[in-house]
Amino acid sequence: MSEKVLRISRRDFIKLAAASAAAAGVYYWPGSHPFAARAAGEKLRMWWWGEQEAPGLEKWVKDSVAIFEKETGVTIEVTLQDTTTVISEFQTASAAGNAPDIQFLWNGIYHMESVWLGYLEPLNGLISDELLKEADATVLSIYQGKQYRLGWYACSLIWLYNKEMFDKAGLNADQPPTTWEGLLDACDKLKSKGFTPIVGGLKDGPWGEWYMGHALGPNLDTPAEALKLFIGELDWREPRYYEHWTKLEQLWKAGYMNEDMNSIDLYPGMDYFGAGKGAMTAIVVPTLGKQAGMLGAEKVGLMVFPAGGKGKMNNKPIRDLQGLGISSQSQHKEIAAKFLESLHTPERVQAIWTDSKALPTDASWDGNKIEDPLFREAWKNWVANPDSVPYISNLMPVMFWTDAMFVNAQKIVAGEYNGEQAGENAQAVATKWREQNPDLLEKYQIWANDLAL
Amino acid sequence: MLRTKPWTPYLYLAPVSLLMLFVFGYPLAAIFDFSMRRIRGASGPFIGLENYRQIFKDDVFQQAILHNAQLLLAVPILVLVGIVLAVLLYERVAGWRVYRTILFAPFIIAIPVIGVVFSNMLSLNGAVNELLRAIGLGFLALDWLGSAQMALWSVMAIIIWHEMGFGVVLFLARLLSLNEEIQEAARIDGAGWWQRLWYVTIPQLKDVTEFYAVVSVITMLAWVFPFVYVMTRGGPGNATQVMELYIFNFAFRNSLPGIASAVAVILFLITLALMIPLFQLRARAEMEGIE
């Protein structure tokens, strides 16, 4: 570019700035934008969840809504949902014909059932293909080629280890174990130094779910294999599919886990790690800041759970993320789509990180700029890593969660089940689920074909 | 005298009757209807008794029924403790009004609050066990909510602690309304404290005892969900699974309201089956009293 072109007089600059400001004003003034002209005055409802795991998101949601309302003249009524009612509230409202326009959605089966019930609108056609790809919601949000969620922030699953304890136990703090034998050896050395090797809380259930995702996945080749276990094409009683529970039994019986595991919930169990009372624990990315803050970031290391699996998904980081979708009952699908798009401007995406320290999942967001090395590593290996795998536990029917996963993990820790008995219970629950849900079975079969990657 | 047609009174009653029918009858009819359908969303195909067949072959449901039956053991404890504490307060020991307030306080505390507090206190390293260890009774420090053997008993103890205050106030109110001359007469006749309690006081508490027993039975069958949900989620394993939690799981988590409705129907019928003989007994007792 020549110097001549760059040379602008002060008068010209003022004219240019005034014209730009006027153009921007016209563009953003409610009713002046072609879309805003159509949408102004409309009211939408949004039900969301997330503040519970990523404090600060509420501010982000409010700011995002305020920006959109100012730009379009649309009003969005926002409701933060309780953890226990995120799914049931949406499904009940949908059954009553009174669903919100925009709904927060957990991944996999946690929103796929709503898809099968016809409560969610495919986003294809409403949102550009570029953005659907950019804010990818993982393969578990796609059914029959249609995408039902737009990615929001990462909730990938990571194991943390305490570098200081590793050092004291004579372990290499920069190279956490990568095999099952390596994990047992590390646990043994940690225990001999008086440290509790693994900490967690099973009473409310999610720790058992996380463990299953970390330890069953590595024995599978594809996510579809997990679905086949539920639809009866594969059998939970095969050692490969209950081995993760046998390994849980092994860890428990060796005294490698906190003894009060069955009597405390997920978060108090996890906080043992932050309090320096345990050497390893499982977390989701949004809770990384809290644990690092409690323990001291310099002492925290990140690792993939060394489950020692025999499948193609072994030793891969688990990538998962939260998302938002649009109700099929919404009278304002186009506006809802525009709102979802507005959440993915570079400024709004950056604000997710700034406001809540949750990691955005948009492909264009550059996590290399994160100053905190721990979060940078989490982003690089668990969010932006193309070699990551989906979270298997997102595929289990809820009945399997309550009657098999939850029961098995607690009974193993209570000494009532061994791995094989857990496998038998899993098979019995999967059979029961099929008998009680013959109409969902077909959908699961189709989904399994979709996921046979 | 103004003569009215025979159906006129029914006409006056009709609006309220219709309202009652809508408020109570419609949901009941809807639950019976739902229990024979595979509900997805707002409705679903008629499947006869398939939901009931599924329930009865489900061992989780069998465990839930068993646990509800086990919780019924709390009813006589509640009645007994309620009467004894009410009688002690009735003796008007110094500060009895303060004791009455203290005993009633648990009943007005929100159950989720109780659940969270006791969950922490009763965890393996919670306040209760720490105290036991501190006073040299470490061998009694058990995993109150985390062990399958202890969890249901622990939940039952907390329910008793919570519900007891209601019984005490109920019995005390009845005692305060009794004719004191009867007590005085028994005292003059030389009846001791136990004799007065057994032969004079308790017979006069019969109506209240029946009422409280009925309320407690209903509580143990159909009002324990918040305790279980907050403290154990039905675990460990299925050790504290109860019918209400089973209904909740099917209605709101498994998305099978048809099965949840079938269990609700069963729970309704069980409660009804327990209530009818109790009311019949009472009616017979009243008749005998009249004769």
Side-chain angles (χ1 to χ4, degrees):
Chain A
M1 197 177 280
S2 72
E3 219 173 275
K4 193 179 175 184
V5 177
L6 284 173
R7 200 175 295 131
I8 298 171
S9 72
R10 196 171 62 178
R11 185 183 295 265
D12 288 341
F13 177 77
I14 291 168
K15 278 181 190 170
L16 193 65
S20 304
V26 168
Y27 184 85
Y28 283 116
W29 191 260
S32 63
H33 188 279
F35 165 74
R38 293 198 307 274
E42 299 291 1
K43 287 181 182 173
L44 271 69
R45 287 186 300 147
M46 173 188 179
W47 291 358
W48 74 285
W49 179 92
E51 181 69 16
Q52 293 89 334
E53 67 174 356
L57 272 184
E58 189 161 22
K59 176 190 179 301
W60 183 86
V61 169
K62 281 181 181 169
D63 288 352
S64 303
V65 166
I67 292 167
F68 187 74
E69 286 180 342
K70 192 178 171 192
E71 287 179 359
T72 62
V74 171
T75 307
I76 300 181
E77 183 191 294
V78 174
T79 305
L80 176 61
Q81 292 184 281
D82 183 70
T83 309
T84 53
T85 55
V86 169
I87 300 168
S88 61
E89 219 166 27
F90 175 67
Q91 291 193 350
T92 307
S94 298
N98 190 31
D101 300 275
I102 299 150
Q103 173 65 41
F104 170 88
L105 301 166
W106 282 311
N107 207 356
I109 191 60
Y110 301 109
H111 73 290
M112 204 48 75
E113 242 179 47
S114 295
V115 170
W116 298 338
L117 289 167
Y119 296 157
L120 285 172
E121 188 72 13
L123 299 180
N124 310 71
L126 281 171
I127 288 173
S128 70
D129 289 345
E130 292 75 29
L131 184 56
L132 288 178
K133 199 175 169 192
E134 157 85 9
D136 164 41
T138 85
V139 70
L140 305 189
S141 282
I142 294 169
Y143 182 70
Q144 294 276 270
K146 303 279 185 189
Q147 185 172 329
Y148 289 86
R149 291 195 319 161
L150 204 55
W152 183 9
Y153 66 91
C155 59
S156 298
L157 291 100
I158 302 181
W159 274 72
L160 304 184
Y161 67 96
N162 184 321
K163 289 182 172 180
E164 196 176 63
M165 286 184 184
F166 267 50
D167 264 338
K168 286 180 180 170
L171 296 160
N172 186 342
D174 295 321
Q175 285 186 331
T178 54
T179 62
W180 181 249
E181 292 71 28
L183 177 70
L184 293 181
D185 178 56
C187 286
D188 195 47
K189 285 176 176 156
L190 287 160
K191 193 187 171 194
S192 67
K193 290 287 175 188
F195 302 127
T196 306
I198 295 172
V199 287
L202 271 173
K203 200 176 79 170
D204 51 354
W207 198 91
E209 177 203 307
W210 292 359
Y211 173 80
M212 189 173 147
H214 284 291
L216 167 65
N219 258 349
L220 308 179
D221 291 330
T222 65
E225 208 175 337
L227 285 182
K228 286 179 182 173
L229 284 163
F230 301 119
I231 61 180
E233 289 179 18
L234 293 170
D235 195 321
W236 283 100
R237 291 168 296 189
E238 276 184 42
R240 180 179 181 176
Y241 300 123
Y242 67 74
E243 190 186 29
H244 59 290
W245 284 314
T246 305
K247 286 177 173 172
L248 179 66
E249 183 194 354
Q250 197 177 352
L251 291 171
W252 175 253
K253 285 188 172 163
Y256 295 156
M257 303 165 96
N258 50 307
E259 58 176 3
D260 58 348
M261 201 148 200
N262 253 356
S263 75
I264 58 169
D265 288 339
L266 173 75
Y267 284 103
M270 196 194 293
D271 287 348
Y272 278 167
F273 178 85
K277 292 179 179 174
M280 289 177 271
T281 196
I283 65 152
V284 284
V285 168
T287 60
L288 175 59
K290 185 189 175 194
Q291 295 304 319
M294 284 171 76
L295 188 67
E298 71 288 352
K299 293 182 193 168
V300 178
L302 311 182
M303 64 188 241
V304 172
F305 183 67
K310 298 171 192 76
K312 289 178 186 166
M313 290 169 69
N314 188 38
N315 270 350
K316 308 253 187 192
I318 297 171
R319 178 175 185 257
D320 195 18
L321 52 95
Q322 314 292 31
L324 295 164
I326 297 173
S327 163
S328 58
Q329 295 172 358
S330 172
Q331 299 299 308
H332 309 291
K333 295 186 184 80
E334 192 195 345
I335 305 174
K338 288 285 178 200
F339 174 67
L340 291 187
E341 284 177 359
S342 78
L343 304 179
H344 290 271
T345 62
E347 184 274 327
R348 282 292 83 203
V349 172
Q350 175 61 32
I352 296 175
W353 167 248
T354 315
D355 289 346
S356 70
K357 291 290 175 281
L359 292 169
T361 52
D362 284 45
S364 59
W365 188 72
D366 187 6
N368 284 311
K369 292 176 186 165
I370 301 172
E371 286 178 9
D372 187 321
L374 210 56
F375 274 101
R376 197 165 58 239
E377 187 187 346
W379 175 80
K380 191 178 169 189
N381 291 329
W382 276 269
V383 181
N385 184 353
D387 199 29
S388 56
V389 292
Y391 178 44
I392 289 303
S393 296
N394 277 336
L395 299 171
M396 72 172 112
V398 180
M399 184 185 292
F400 195 87
W401 199 104
T402 55
D403 291 8
M405 180 285 300
F406 178 78
V407 169
N408 285 354
Q410 290 190 340
K411 284 200 170 187
I412 285 169
V413 167
E416 292 178 51
Y417 269 0
N418 58 31
E420 194 177 350
Q421 287 169 312
E424 281 165 12
N425 182 48
Q427 182 65 14
V429 172
T431 307
K432 179 170 81 173
W433 174 80
R434 288 196 294 274
E435 285 179 10
Q436 294 180 355
N437 296 272
D439 53 334
L440 292 189
L441 195 56
E442 189 192 343
K443 312 275 189 191
Y444 253 86
Q445 274 159 340
I446 295 169
W447 199 24
N449 291 337
D450 284 358
L451 292 176
L453 306 170
Chain B
M1 191 176 157
L2 188 67
R3 291 180 66 93
T4 57
K5 293 201 165 59
W7 45 263
T8 307
Y10 297 105
L11 203 62
Y12 287 123
L13 286 172
V16 175
S17 303
L18 284 172
L19 186 69
M20 298 284 278
L21 203 65
F22 179 73
V23 172
F24 295 106
Y26 173 73
L28 207 60
I31 280 187
F32 273 87
D33 176 43
F34 268 39
S35 75
M36 286 183 272
R37 292 179 185 278
R38 179 171 294 116
I39 304 289
R40 293 289 183 200
S43 190
F46 181 80
I47 53 169
L49 297 175
E50 177 60 20
N51 286 333
Y52 291 91
R53 198 182 69 81
Q54 289 294 337
I55 291 164
F56 284 115
K57 65 183 238 188
D58 186 359
D59 62 339
V60 179
F61 175 70
Q62 289 158 16
Q63 289 177 61
I65 285 214
L66 204 66
H67 295 150
N68 276 107
Q70 201 173 325
L71 287 174
L72 286 176
L73 292 175
V75 175
I77 299 172
L78 277 168
V79 172
L80 192 73
V81 172
I83 290 175
V84 169
L85 290 175
V87 169
L88 289 174
L89 290 176
Y90 182 60
E91 297 291 320
R92 291 178 174 81
V93 291
W96 70 278
R97 284 195 174 86
V98 177
Y99 296 139
R100 182 182 58 182
T101 309
I102 291 170
L103 285 168
F104 189 64
F107 189 70
I108 55 170
I109 300 175
I111 296 172
V113 175
I114 291 173
V116 170
V117 171
F118 275 100
S119 284
N120 288 325
M121 284 175 65
L122 295 176
S123 68
L124 191 62
N125 295 316
V128 171
N129 284 345
E130 289 301 317
L131 181 70
L132 288 169
R133 287 175 192 127
I135 58 173
L137 297 174
F139 63 95
L140 287 176
L142 305 172
D143 199 352
W144 304 102
L145 294 172
S147 130
Q149 287 73 35
M150 291 306 305
L152 191 65
W153 298 112
S154 303
V155 170
M156 188 198 284
I158 295 157
I159 295 172
I160 289 172
W161 176 80
H162 177 262
E163 299 295 316
M164 185 182 66
F166 178 57
V168 172
V169 169
L170 214 59
F171 288 121
L172 186 61
R174 178 70 181 123
L175 285 170
L176 291 171
S177 71
L178 292 179
N179 186 351
E180 288 210 32
E181 287 173 4
I182 301 173
Q183 291 279 344
E184 198 56 36
R187 206 173 279 133
I188 291 166
D189 286 346
W193 189 85
W194 279 109
Q195 286 170 313
R196 275 185 281 125
L197 176 67
W198 192 252
Y199 295 108
V200 180
T201 311
I202 290 180
Q204 293 187 89
L205 293 176
K206 198 177 169 194
D207 288 354
V208 180
T209 307
E210 272 176 21
F211 170 75
Y212 185 54
V214 168
V215 169
S216 300
V217 167
I218 294 172
T219 301
M220 294 305 156
L221 288 177
W223 203 244
V224 293
F225 171 79
F227 293 99
V228 170
Y229 186 75
V230 178
M231 286 194 289
T232 63
R233 304 280 205 283
N238 283 315
T240 54
Q241 181 70 248
V242 290
M243 279 192 282
E244 288 169 90
L245 184 61
Y246 190 86
I247 292 172
F248 174 83
N249 280 340
F250 272 95
F252 299 108
R253 302 185 77 179
N254 297 343
S255 303
L256 287 168
I259 290 187
S261 302
V263 184
V265 167
I266 293 168
L267 184 58
F268 171 74
L269 294 177
I270 291 174
T271 313
L272 207 63
L274 287 168
M275 293 303 103
I276 288 172
L278 275 171
F279 285 120
Q280 279 177 338
L281 271 174
R282 185 172 179 182
R284 198 184 306 155
E286 277 174 6
M287 289 297 288
E288 284 166 3
I290 291 166
E291 285 162 12

